[in-house]
Amino acid sequence: MENKTFEPKIIAFVCNWCTYTGADLAGTSRMKYEPNVRLIKLPCTGRIDPVMILKAFEKGADGVLVSGCHPGDCHYNAGNFHARRRWIMFHKLLDFVGIDENRLHFSWVSASEGKKFVDVINGFVNKVKAKGPFEKYEKINKEFVING
Amino acid sequence: MSHQTTNHTRTMTDDIKDITSQNPDICYQCGKCSAGCPVRNYMDEAPNLIVRYIQLGLYDKAVNSSTIWLCAGCLTCTTRCPKNFELAAFMDALREIALKKGIKIKEKAILKFHKAFLKQIKNHGRSYELGLIRDYKLTTGDLMADVDAAPDMLLKGKIGIFPHNIKGKESIKRIFEKTEVK
Amino acid sequence: MQIGYYPGCSLSGTAKEYGKSVRAIFKQLDVELADVTDWSCCGATSGHVTSHKLAMALSARNLALAEKQGLKEIFAPCAACFGRLAVTKQELKNSPALKEEIEGIIEDKLNNTIEIINIIQLFQKIGKEKIAEKKVLDLKNLKAACYYGCLLVRPFNILHFDDAEQPTSFEELVKSTGAEVVEWNYKLECCGAAHSLPRKDIVVDLSKKILDDAMKHGANVLVVACPMCHSNLDMRQKNIIKANPGQKEIPVLYLSELIGLCLGLDNKQLGINLHTIDFNIRLKKNVEEEVAK
Amino acid sequence: MKIGVFICHCGENIGRTVDCVRVAKACSFFPNVVHSVEYKYMCSDPGQNMIKQAIKDLKLDGVVVGSCSPHMHEKTFRKAVSDAGVNPFLCEIANLREHVSWVHDDKEVATDKAIDLMRFAVEKVKRNAPLKTIQVPVTKRTLVIGGGIAGIQAALDVANAGYEVVLVEKEPSIGGHMSQLSETFPTLDCSQCILTPRMVEVYQHPKIKLMTYSEVEKVEGFIGNFKVTIRKKARFVDDTLCSGCGDCAIKCPIKKKALSEFDEKLAFRSAIYVPFPQAVPNIPVIDKEVCTYFKNGKCSMCVKVCGRNAIKFDQQDEFISEDIGAIIVATGYKLYTIDKKPEASEIKGYGEYGYGKYKDVVDGLQFERIASASGPTSGEFQRPSDGKTPKKIVFIQCVGSRDESKGFSYCSKICCMYTAKHAMLYKHKVHDGEAYVFYMDIRAGGKMYEEFVRRAIEEDGVKYIRGRVSRIYEEDGKYIVKGEDTLAGVPIQIDADMVVLATAMVAQTDAPKLAQTIGMPYDNYGFYSEVHPKLRPVESSTGGVFLAGACNSPRDIPDSVAMASAAAAKALVLFGSDMLEREPTIAFVNENLCAGCFYCKKVCAYNAIEVKQIKDKNGNVIKEVAFVNSGLCQGCGTCNATCPSKAIELIGYTDEQIYAEIAALM
Ligand SMILES: Cc1cc2nc3c(=O)[nH]c(=O)nc-3n(C[C@H](O)[C@H](O)[C@H](O)COP(=O)(O)OP(=O)(O)OC[C@H]3O[C@@H](n4cnc5c(N)ncnc54)[C@H](O)[C@@H]3O)c2cc1C
Ligand SMILES: Cc1cc2nc3c(=O)[nH]c(=O)nc-3n(C[C@H](O)[C@H](O)[C@H](O)COP(=O)(O)OP(=O)(O)OC[C@H]3O[C@@H](n4cnc5c(N)ncnc54)[C@H](O)[C@@H]3O)c2cc1C
Ligand code: SF4
Ligand code: SF4
Ligand code: SF4
Ligand code: SF4
Ligand code: SF4
Ligand code: SF4
Ligand code: SF4
Ligand code: SF4
């Protein structure tokens, strides 16, 4: 079941105020987690553009994680509310393009949730590990003109 | 499942973790379990102390106690534990381990009762009262137990005189064999 | 309404009257009980105290049989059987690895989707209205202490149908028969359960406290929903009285018997005549009063 | 661009798990990197000098530091870079400590990850633009929310420094929980006696605008420039006319319908009432829910007796807007409730202790009221059910706290102390009484605290039993308490006359709501979060918002007061300059690309997007485009993600920069 040799590459888009700080807390508390995820810090999940996610898959990510403040707790009042609305649409797009939903994970991790951050990372890494490498991105690349 | 414990010897704590999927170290020894345990007064050790012994690695003290056998599995402790530690399941695990290790059991009668009970199930697939009483009395030697109640029960048909054998009797036997219960 | 039925061993033996009354009343209430074919013992207390896997496997076998029969729900009147089946379902759900192992042991596959319900939940499904509609006799002279015992509302993390410390659903049902219910302190205290034979002393002690508390709070009948509780409180009451001169008797009824009386079934149909502590007198009085009206 | 890379070992903190030499070496091969070194402590003076020197010697125009979290030292390094003449925004930090060395064990893997993170940062810095910080003016007025001891202290400190304060309290009077306490540990001085003078001082202070029975409705703007809307709830009494004579309350026929909140439901109050005699302001409010006039138009007794015509049944809620520079949140706590559990709550409640159905099983604050000279029993120890003096009291600690199953896992910090106080006060008055305390640990870590608890045990004879109680039930007028002494290993059963549950301090129910109004973070329990638990304990991560007292975590009066003064000092620091520097991370519109669809305007939560008209030479409007008001934009980037024309970009987080980071993954 488990693929011992396959170490997935995962990109995480996280907001500066909640999840990034939650990850800092996991560090300060010396919690251990899977090393496969690379965080890209954004001011807010509101900044996340669906194209970024496609871009990440295009560049070879096996999974993409998006994480920000809990709904209602956004540092910028409404940023993550807009993000959420976009994501709902984005899920459909993903489906349409044929990217397995399980390769994209949305979660809320607040600045005080170091433990939750660790659980989210470990859970997602294991899920992607079970899926195996993501090889379909070329197809998507062909079908979708991605600017930037 | 990504982290495997490799280079340390297996302890009873590991066995307990395996059987019950819980970590005895979460217990902070508040004693609420013992405070509400209905059979606390008959036990030689308080239930919370059994957990303590495991935490300290004093396994002998834990498996040799009468406590693990007197525990009636009533779940009072599990329901009230502030740490959500499932003490009743933990007691089950300890009994199982004690049996596997062939420890001399303090509460012999209780064990004999369980054995006699399981024997009926193994043989017939269902409980068979007369067989149970017979086997229990023979193993304990307490032939006079409940002689006063028995005739009444027999008369009322509450003690089955003949066993009811289920069709899948053989599959039950195999279950016993595979789970190594003698 | 049709529902899967797992009687469990005691209902044809020591708790014969429970089995009898359950079949009688549900027929009256238009519930068809479909027995799980070739069910085996759930292992009861002895199973889980000796081997976790044995206990899981014995219950899992019954669940698998029920699934094959196409049952969606099974009703287990014995609180202990019910507990074993419910715990097994939950544990196998939590651990796919354990489920796989158990499937190997029972040599069968399990979807693990069956709902397991106890007698109170079944009554809740039927609805109090139905009982009221079929009610023949008002049991108003009874002051009942409802005894949940340890396993009716526990383990609380699996059974969410009532509060684990201050449950009320049992009382609610009993009230629908016209009986009065008493508030008392020992409704969840353990009676000693499976220690009845090997440690009679403990069971006698614990059961005495339960009986005393019920009587102290004005009860003239105890109502139970578990064969183990019944044998400890009814059959063992003889031992208690013998050891404590002056101890008063209190009859112990199964919930199904109580409901049965209210539906107009008689002592024999319900198996009440099989009890150690006699209940007849009170019932007679009740009936006579009803008739006199 | 010439980029310098600096890898920090952080002593052993990074170096132990990350091969810093290998990282530096790998970085030296990245395009544009001309210099790559590692050093033991980059944030130390020699470390910073290393960066400055390299900038000068090698003419670097970009710097990447691989060190701790940017939340820790970004400022330090940007300053160093700036001192050496490079724009500070051309410095990026890769987080090799919190996100790598502290969370992974395998040195190989950790080093690989560190190199990846460095690559991200290098790719990003290449695309950074030199930026200038933005200057905004500071409004030197403070809003204090909550008028408990913490809010009172903060308000007085700021006001005494000469700055205006608006103090908003949601109850009819300030004073908070401290006004309910009898005597206070560890000195046993009377709570009211030390609190009341402060309350009066607030009332009379020329710089403090006190708004009781009021709530914060809306907070707009940002540090130094908040616009706050406050709802002044209708009291139905005109505070400019009322003299506080109290005649109305005396004559009000409603005597037994409303339970006094101040007396924790152990006594009644009238429909028109002041919560307690020393209330500030001493102006009553009418409780609409019980007043007969509001129910059926009858009564009006209060109107008849009020000599000053102060009763105004038609009063409406008012909304008042205030310009504010700093906010101090001091909304305090509430007590864990022992009543039956609320619907849809995670909390299970203590059914085994009766869910509050036993009259003589009370909580901590109820016992304070019973012990208080101003309380319903005038300080006589009488049990609520029958007024008898309890001869045997059991105290149970850690109720609702240190209990994952029924409440919260945290330690409520003060209940060990207040229980010792309760037991002591009881023993001082009821000499032949017995007091038992069930505890798990005694946490008395303050000045003279341990001594205080020992005094209860050694001098006053309070019996401490180590164990949690399993059950309480009533039998013949006694409460049977079933416990276990885990030290002796024996079961203990006590038939008590009264039981006091040392219930936990928990977050206010509406704490998340206020946090969302202000836009500040809170933890899983509902307590407001500080930026850094050690080094910035009184600041919220939202600029210009400070925290004081028990709204941050359970704490006692000395700690609340200390925190309040610290928060006041932080506000005053802000007022030390007239202008404030802000990060230039804001949105910017490329007018050529902008299609004027104004989707961006719709999603901006700060109303920072304005409509700009582009005119030709003759002054005719050729098109309308979006324009970002740099004073209002907070840099969330939502507009950037929304814009269909890719015309609006968030400086510092442009598409180009982020795509470059993504590309660096390969
Ligand atoms: C039983 C008990 C005994 C205690 N004994 C002692 C003792 O002996 N010694 C000691 O040092 N400490 C003691 N304490 C602790 C003490 O009560 C607290 O440390 C102190 O009250 C905290 O002050 P605070 O101002 O932070 O909060 P609070 O006293 O809770 O004040 C908060 C104020 O904010 C108001 N508020 C809340 N939400 C809003 C809102 N949204 N808008 C506007 N206003 C709002 C509230 O109405 C309240 O007036 C005891 C606590 C308890 C429970
Ligand atoms: C073993 C240990 C481990 C700890 N671990 C932690 C931890 O993990 N987390 C935590 O939060 N806290 C920890 N602490 C507590 C922490 O050390 C203190 O809280 C903190 O250092 C107190 O800071 P301070 O500035 O008040 O005092 P200090 O650190 O003692 O600083 C006082 C300074 O004043 C100087 N000084 C003294 N007298 C004079 C004088 N007459 N004139 C001029 N200068 C003078 C001293 O030289 C010194 O530099 C720990 C303490 C110990 C003992
Ligand atoms: S109640 Fe739970 S935490 Fe307390 S001693 Fe028992 S098992 Fe341990
Ligand atoms: S389950 Fe066992 S240990 Fe727990 S309270 Fe019941 S008898 Fe005691
Ligand atoms: S810069 Fe950060 S990582 Fe380096 S020594 Fe300083 S604190 Fe440690
Ligand atoms: S409202 Fe009138 S009667 Fe009441 S306190 Fe004020 S002045 Fe006195
Ligand atoms: S009108 Fe209302 S507040 Fe006034 S006296 Fe009557 S009941 Fe009291
Ligand atoms: S302060 Fe004491 S009583 Fe309160 S939670 Fe902590 S240990 Fe328990
Ligand atoms: S969303 Fe883009 S195109 Fe539309 S107005 Fe805003 S900047 Fe212009
Ligand atoms: S970045 Fe855009 S959406 Fe966010 S505050 Fe600035 S203008 Fe508004």
Side-chain angles (χ1 to χ4, degrees), chain C:
Chain C
M1 176 161 54
Q2 197 215 41
I3 195 147
Y5 183 50
Y6 177 84
C9 306
S10 7
L11 269 73
S12 46
T14 45
K16 216 174 164 179
E17 61 273 43
Y18 194 18
K20 220 171 161 178
S21 54
V22 160
R23 290 212 193 261
I25 57 163
F26 287 116
K27 195 166 167 206
Q28 197 94 335
L29 292 167
D30 308 324
V31 179
E32 189 193 321
L33 300 177
D35 290 38
V36 175
T37 326
D38 206 40
W39 57 269
S40 65
C41 173
C42 66
T45 315
S46 302
H48 72 87
V49 302
T50 36
S51 162
H52 183 235
K53 278 176 194 149
L54 173 70
M56 291 287 122
L58 287 174
S59 291
R61 177 183 177 273
N62 289 312
L63 293 177
L65 287 175
E67 267 173 21
K68 279 219 196 78
Q69 232 171 301
L71 299 173
K72 299 274 170 297
E73 287 169 315
I74 19 184
F75 157 48
C78 164
C81 302
F82 166 70
R84 291 319 308 160
L85 294 173
V87 166
T88 301
K89 177 182 164 171
Q90 188 67 27
E91 281 201 36
L92 298 187
K93 207 164 156 188
N94 292 346
S95 166
L98 181 64
K99 178 167 172 265
E100 209 172 305
E101 193 183 345
I102 297 296
E103 284 175 336
I105 295 173
I106 62 171
E107 297 158 14
D108 210 342
K109 288 275 168 215
L110 200 62
N111 289 324
N112 209 17
T113 48
I114 282 197
E115 286 301 316
I116 299 135
I117 59 173
N118 69 19
I119 189 161
I120 295 196
Q121 287 168 303
L122 181 53
F123 277 124
Q124 284 177 340
K125 256 180 186 291
I126 297 167
K128 274 184 283 189
E129 310 72 45
K130 184 91 186 183
I131 300 174
E133 183 192 306
K134 301 244 170 176
K135 184 155 141 186
V136 176
L137 197 61
D138 193 85
L139 305 179
K140 65 173 183 259
N141 279 344
L142 293 186
K143 289 197 174 78
C146 301
Y147 179 64
Y148 291 78
C150 5
L151 295 176
L152 211 53
V153 286
R154 293 177 190 149
F156 71 105
N157 53 352
I158 297 179
L159 313 177
H160 288 291
F161 77 97
D162 202 346
D163 191 283
E165 294 289 351
Q166 307 270 340
T168 51
S169 50
F170 200 151
E171 277 87 352
E172 287 311 311
L173 272 172
V174 167
K175 274 191 215 158
S176 66
T177 65
E180 220 180 284
V181 296
V182 302
E183 251 320 300
W184 59 309
N185 287 324
Y186 275 65
K187 60 182 176 188
L188 287 162
E189 295 291 314
C190 173
C191 61
H195 291 336
S196 191
L197 220 49
R199 286 299 301 264
K200 197 161 76 183
D201 57 327
I202 296 180
V203 170
V204 163
D205 270 10
L206 298 180
S207 299
K208 178 177 185 320
K209 284 188 189 147
I210 294 163
L211 299 172
D212 288 352
D213 191 68
M215 288 190 274
K216 191 170 166 182
H217 288 86
N220 58 15
V221 61
L222 253 150
V223 190
V224 302
C226 169
M228 245 179 343
C229 303
H230 193 269
S231 85
N232 287 347
L233 296 170
D234 176 60
M235 190 186 82
R236 287 288 171 229
Q237 211 177 118
K238 270 247 161 87
N239 302 77
I240 295 169
I241 292 167
K242 209 164 138 196
N244 300 279
Q247 175 87 16
K248 284 213 184 82
E249 276 190 356
I250 178 168
V252 186
L253 286 189
Y254 282 104
L255 174 59
S256 49
E257 293 172 336
L258 190 82
I259 304 269
L261 289 173
C262 140
L263 298 178
L265 297 167
D266 69 24
N267 261 8
K268 266 228 166 93
Q269 285 169 302
L270 294 167
I272 296 180
N273 54 335
L274 301 179
H275 292 184
T276 308
I277 304 296
D278 201 24
F279 179 75
N280 282 328
I281 302 142
R282 262 179 265 286
L283 180 72
K284 247 192 219 140
K285 200 169 148 222
N286 212 317
V287 177
E288 276 157 16
E289 273 177 24
E290 273 296 301
V291 172
K293 267 205 305 200

Side-chain angles (χ1 to χ4, degrees), chain D residues 145-152 168-171 173-178 181 183-186 214-216 330-335 363-366 368 414 418 421-422 449 503 505 508 510 514 528 548-551 555-558 560:
Chain D
I145 310 174
I149 184 58
I152 290 174
V168 173
E169 164 60 56
K170 74 172 173 193
E171 297 299 327
S173 168
I174 56 171
H177 287 103
M178 189 175 166
L181 305 182
E183 266 124 85
T184 52
F185 63 76
S214 300
E215 273 172 66
V216 172
T331 47
Y333 66 98
K334 69 167 193 163
L335 215 57
D363 69 26
L365 278 173
Q366 287 179 320
E368 289 287 339
I414 59 144
Y418 82 58
K421 172 181 80 173
H422 288 169
Y449 283 16
T503 36
M505 285 170 109
Q508 297 276 14
D510 61 355
L514 183 65
Y528 302 135
C551 64
R555 49 172 54 86
D556 57 18
I557 298 165
S560 298

Side-chain angles (χ1 to χ4, degrees), chain B residues 27-33 48 81-83 85:
Chain B
C27 162
Y28 57 18
Q29 287 296 308
C30 69
K32 193 175 185 182
C33 46
N48 69 293
C81 174
K83 296 289 296 174
F85 186 67

Side-chain angles (χ1 to χ4, degrees), chain B residues 12-13 16 24 29 44-65 67 90 94:
Chain B
M12 198 182 286
T13 312
I16 290 169
Q29 287 296 308
D44 54 1
E45 306 270 15
N48 69 293
L49 281 182
I50 303 298
V51 193
R52 187 67 191 143
Y53 293 146
I54 298 300
Q55 290 174 343
L56 292 172
L58 301 175
Y59 303 125
D60 284 353
K61 282 183 93 91
V63 285
N64 283 306
S65 67
T67 303
F90 167 88
L94 275 178

Side-chain angles (χ1 to χ4, degrees), chain B residues 32-34 36-40 43 47-48 67-68 70-78 87-89 91 95, chain C residues 150 154 190 195:
Chain B
K32 193 175 185 182
C33 46
S34 306
C37 175
V39 281
R40 167 72 186 92
M43 295 167 162
N48 69 293
T67 303
I68 60 172
L70 286 170
C71 163
C74 72
L75 296 169
T76 308
C77 49
T78 300
L87 186 57
M91 293 287 189
R95 285 185 284 250
Chain C
C150 5
R154 293 177 190 149
C190 173
H195 291 336

Side-chain angles (χ1 to χ4, degrees), chain D residues 248-249 251-254 270-273 285-287 290-294 298-303 305 311 313:
Chain D
C248 50
K251 289 282 156 60
C252 174
I254 303 293
S270 38
I272 185 165
Y273 70 104
V285 292
I286 294 179
D287 179 351
V290 287
C291 163
T292 348
Y293 178 84
F294 280 100
K298 293 205 188 94
C299 186
S300 305
M301 181 55 91
C302 48
V303 179
V305 297
I311 310 284
F313 288 133

